[in-house]
Amino acid sequence: MTRMWPPGDGTRRPPAPRVAAPREPVDPARIGRRVVRRRAKGMDAGAVAAALDVARFDARQASRHEDLADDLRGPAELAEWERLHQLLAAAAPGTVYDPDTDDVVQAELAADAAAAAAREADLREAQRIAARADELQALRELGTLEQTEPRHGDEAVRDELTRRAGGYVQADVDDWLAHALAAHLGHYRDPAAREEAAGLLTPPVLAHAALLAELARLGADVDELAFAARLATTEPEAAGALAAFLTRVEGTPA
């Protein structure tokens, strides 16, 4: 297989940067609601009504200042005081506000936990992809990538290697994946993985794999099929059409 590095690049690449942990985005409106809930904890309906009057006064004052026109926290605090006022107005006399029994608060906490879990899962996946990209890069430098079987998720690793190369297509990695897909190696032994690859790999890689598979079924020597990669790279639609034609020819009675 032929490597394709960015022009002028003949040196070993530095290690890829560590994947940073994603941070929860700052949300002024959410901060405002949380402040109101902390202040309102233990308040009865009368105390909340008084706090609402103050919030309304502050909102009127803020409306006079153009520099506060884009403020998100103030309106959110006012809206939360209004919600709590309605909540306690509908509750039994003497009821005090408790965020732990507020259905809206509990739903937000559940959503926050789910979002945090999703961010953590994304971080773990990014770290896995980065580590696998480092591993495949080392195998390329050792010249043993061809003997390595692909794993689930290597399609994303291919994209990571391309990103690290500044967007330049890594021909040796594409050839490796195309051969593995054609020969059903590694995780491509599973038909579901091969079907999934159709939506994860680029048209040239898929066309290359399809052409290799048909030529191999016709008895061609894999070592003599370097032209298939060139055809799939320059004319993926033509390579796919040729693979389909060979399938039909193979299935036609003599």
Side-chain angles (χ1 to χ4, degrees):
M1 297 182 184
T2 303
R3 295 188 182 183
M4 185 178 294
W5 301 110
D9 183 5
T11 59
R12 184 187 181 95
R13 284 170 179 69
R18 291 180 177 272
V19 178
R23 297 181 179 180
E24 182 180 359
V26 176
D27 185 345
R30 176 178 296 188
I31 293 173
R33 289 191 294 270
R34 289 176 176 175
V35 168
V36 169
R37 291 162 187 169
R38 285 196 298 270
R39 288 183 54 196
K41 186 174 182 178
M43 287 185 177
D44 60 14
V48 169
L52 175 58
D53 287 340
V54 173
R56 286 171 174 166
F57 174 81
D58 291 342
R60 288 193 297 271
Q61 293 295 105
S63 66
R64 301 174 182 174
H65 300 276
E66 292 184 1
D67 59 322
L68 297 178
D70 296 329
D71 175 49
L72 298 177
R73 177 170 168 173
E77 290 187 7
L78 174 58
E80 188 65 1
W81 281 120
E82 290 174 339
R83 186 183 73 83
L84 299 187
H85 179 254
Q86 294 173 2
L87 183 67
L88 290 179
T95 300
V96 297
Y97 179 69
D98 183 359
D100 293 339
T101 60
D102 187 336
D103 291 341
V104 171
V105 174
Q106 296 310 305
E108 286 184 7
L109 291 175
D112 290 345
R119 288 193 298 271
E120 182 63 26
D122 289 343
L123 174 61
R124 289 196 299 270
E125 177 63 7
Q127 292 173 332
R128 184 198 66 78
I129 290 173
R132 178 62 169 167
D134 291 341
E135 179 184 352
L136 293 185
Q137 181 60 43
L139 292 171
R140 296 168 80 185
E141 294 170 359
L142 292 172
T144 57
L145 179 61
E146 293 179 351
Q147 288 77 49
T148 305
E149 291 196 346
R151 303 175 187 168
H152 178 76
D154 277 352
E155 297 86 0
V157 177
R158 172 203 178 273
D159 296 340
E160 170 63 12
L161 288 169
T162 301
R163 184 195 66 78
R164 292 183 183 184
Y168 287 90
V169 172
Q170 305 297 281
D172 58 334
V173 177
D174 280 3
D175 289 353
W176 169 63
L177 286 172
H179 278 82
L181 182 57
H184 300 178
L185 300 178
H187 72 298
Y188 292 133
R189 293 187 183 93
D190 182 358
R194 298 196 296 273
E195 183 177 352
E196 183 181 16
L200 299 174
L201 294 173
T202 63
V205 177
L206 296 172
H208 186 190
L211 189 53
L212 285 176
E214 293 308 319
L215 291 171
R217 274 194 281 269
L218 292 173
D221 186 344
V222 175
D223 294 333
E224 299 176 351
L225 301 179
F227 72 89
R230 295 194 296 272
L231 178 60
T233 299
T234 57
E235 296 288 345
E237 292 185 4
L242 177 56
F245 172 76
L246 293 175
T247 301
R248 292 195 301 272
V249 170
E250 186 179 10
T252 301

